[in-house]
């Protein structure tokens, strides 16, 4: 009986004691950044802290960016062409969406990219196959100008204000 009790005790000890920590810890795998657009061209463009903008055809990942100087034209994977004028702060959110914190952007949306969205601190502009511009001031005020086609403009946080169509 004592030998059976000893085997049970050893079995329980093995069962409940965690294995020793590995001598060579495995580093966590970093996820690849989600690429959603590419640089088409630029003129005298500098990112934040004076770093030159990447050359044409460089892929751009989801995330915030500051354009301190110059002009930058990017093409989203969905097809929208966006010309940004510094100073400009923006976030690439997906293949068909960006957040313009401040600055000026002119957007050309081909039929393949209808539904492209530019969000600002005070509004959401949804494209319906068009060419338009958005200006967002540092205080969040937003202007939208439609050159061709239609966009809808909805105020952020405004429950009672209806969506507006601009042509």
């Amino acid at each position: 009986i004592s030998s059976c009790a000893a085997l049970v005790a050893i079995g329980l000890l093995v069962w409940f004691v965690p294995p020793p920590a590995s001598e060579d810890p495995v580093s966590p795998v970093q996820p690849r950044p989600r690429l959603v657009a590419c640089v088409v061209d630029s003129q005298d463009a500098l990112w934040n802290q004076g770093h030159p903008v990447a050359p044409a055809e460089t892929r751009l990942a989801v995330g915030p960016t500051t354009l301190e100087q110059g002009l930058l034209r990017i093409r989203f994977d969905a097809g929208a062409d966006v010309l940004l004028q510094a100073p400009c702060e923006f976030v690439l959110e997906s293949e068909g969406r960006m957040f313009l914190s401040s600055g000026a952007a002119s957007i050309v949306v081909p039929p393949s990219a209808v539904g492209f969205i530019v969000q600002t601190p005070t509004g959401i502009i949804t494209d319906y196959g068009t060419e338009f511009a958005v200006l967002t001031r540092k205080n969040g005020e937003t202007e939208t100008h439609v050159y061709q086609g239609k966009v809808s403009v909805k105020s952020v946080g405004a429950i009672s204000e209806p969506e507006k169509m601009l042509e």
Side-chain angles (χ1 to χ4, degrees), residues 94-148:
S94 72
E95 296 83 358
R97 185 179 183 113
M98 71 179 291
F99 185 90
L100 183 62
S101 305
S102 66
S106 293
I107 301 100
V108 177
V109 181
S112 63
V114 167
F116 184 80
I117 293 173
V118 177
Q119 183 168 349
T120 71
T122 58
I124 299 172
I125 300 100
T126 304
D127 164 78
Y128 292 103
T130 190
E131 186 174 337
F132 67 104
V134 178
L135 172 64
T136 304
R137 293 182 179 81
K138 286 278 187 188
N139 67 3
E141 284 183 15
T142 300
E143 289 181 28
T144 303
H145 301 275
V146 178
Y147 303 123
Q148 181 180 358

Side-chain angles (χ1 to χ4, degrees), residues 44-105:
D44 302 321
L46 296 175
W47 294 128
N48 57 341
Q49 300 176 354
H51 297 290
V53 166
E57 299 186 23
T58 300
R59 302 284 292 147
L60 301 173
V62 166
T65 306
T66 300
L67 182 65
E68 285 189 352
Q69 174 184 309
L71 299 170
L72 172 66
R73 187 162 61 110
I74 61 176
R75 181 168 297 126
F76 282 79
D77 291 351
D81 250 15
V82 178
L83 177 64
L84 298 154
Q85 180 179 349
C88 185
E89 294 178 19
F90 60 98
V91 179
L92 304 178
E93 293 185 338
S94 72
E95 296 83 358
R97 185 179 183 113
M98 71 179 291
F99 185 90
L100 183 62
S101 305
S102 66

